[in-house]
Amino acid sequence: MTDFRALIQALSGSEVRFVIVGGVAAALHGSARLTQDVDIVYARDAGNLARIVQALAPLRPYLRGAPPELPFRLDEQTLAAGLNFTLTTSAGDIDLLGEIAGAGSYNALNPHTVEVELFGAPCRCLDLPTLIAAKVASGRPKDLEAIAELRALLEERPPGE
């Protein structure tokens, strides 16, 4: 079971620059679908990579699905050398995404976010139109199933919201 509070507070407490995407973003916009992990798109500058390592180190991050004997250390070099990381931690699963299909990197996404307070922490969340576009672009069956609900939520919004 994922402790969403612990993951979000760890990232926010370390001043990690990130955008919430995926199922948590959908839930923040009113989706009734459940999610099992936290998906974030993170800024890839050296300072932010260091803050991610600092935030997640106490939660013992490890590659999700990897054999336990596989050597893995989440550090700044690892993050800089890769792009997307699906991790499990003592607080649950988190996906660190350098970019997402149909929407891009942290810098490209940031203008398409809304500020939300989540577990007492201010966070950036992908806005609903961009979240829909990203799910369409991903083409994954589970995302395609969610699109109709997200579009209905968008249509229900008052004009200008």
Side-chain angles (χ1 to χ4, degrees), residues 1 15-16 24 36 38 47 49 51 59 70 85 93 95 101 103 124-125 127 129 139 143 153:
M1 188 73 165
E15 299 181 1
V16 172
V24 173
Q36 300 299 317
V38 175
L49 299 183
R51 289 187 292 276
L59 303 176
L70 183 76
F85 298 86
D93 294 344
D95 293 353
R124 304 301 304 173
C125 174
D127 67 27
D143 288 333
L153 289 168

Side-chain angles (χ1 to χ4, degrees), residues 2-150:
T2 298
D3 184 345
F4 296 98
R5 176 187 300 271
L7 289 168
I8 295 298
Q9 288 180 337
L11 295 169
S12 293
S14 293
E15 299 181 1
V16 172
R17 292 184 302 124
F18 66 96
V19 173
I20 298 169
V21 300
V24 173
L28 288 168
H29 288 294
S31 173
R33 293 179 179 274
L34 297 178
T35 187
Q36 300 299 317
D37 64 359
V38 175
D39 300 316
I40 66 163
V41 175
Y42 61 98
R44 292 192 41 82
D45 59 275
N48 203 56
L49 299 183
R51 289 187 292 276
I52 291 170
V53 170
Q54 174 190 358
L56 295 181
L59 303 176
R60 301 183 316 278
Y62 191 73
L63 294 172
R64 191 175 329 140
E69 66 277 0
L70 183 76
F72 174 76
R73 183 174 64 208
L74 185 68
D75 58 19
E76 293 144 60
Q77 283 183 313
T78 300
L79 287 174
L83 186 64
N84 298 333
F85 298 86
T86 57
L87 303 173
T88 190
T89 74
S90 61
D93 294 344
I94 184 168
D95 293 353
L96 304 178
L97 308 170
E99 60 185 40
I100 57 175
S105 66
Y106 174 85
N107 290 334
L109 292 177
N110 205 34
H112 303 284
T113 63
V114 293
E115 186 167 320
V116 297
E117 187 172 308
L118 192 55
F119 307 115
C123 300
R124 304 301 304 173
C125 174
L126 200 57
D127 67 27
L128 192 48
T130 310
L131 179 61
I132 292 168
K135 288 195 173 289
V136 168
S138 80
R140 299 183 311 175
K142 72 176 190 173
D143 288 333
L144 296 176
E145 293 172 8
I147 292 168
E149 179 192 29
L150 294 174

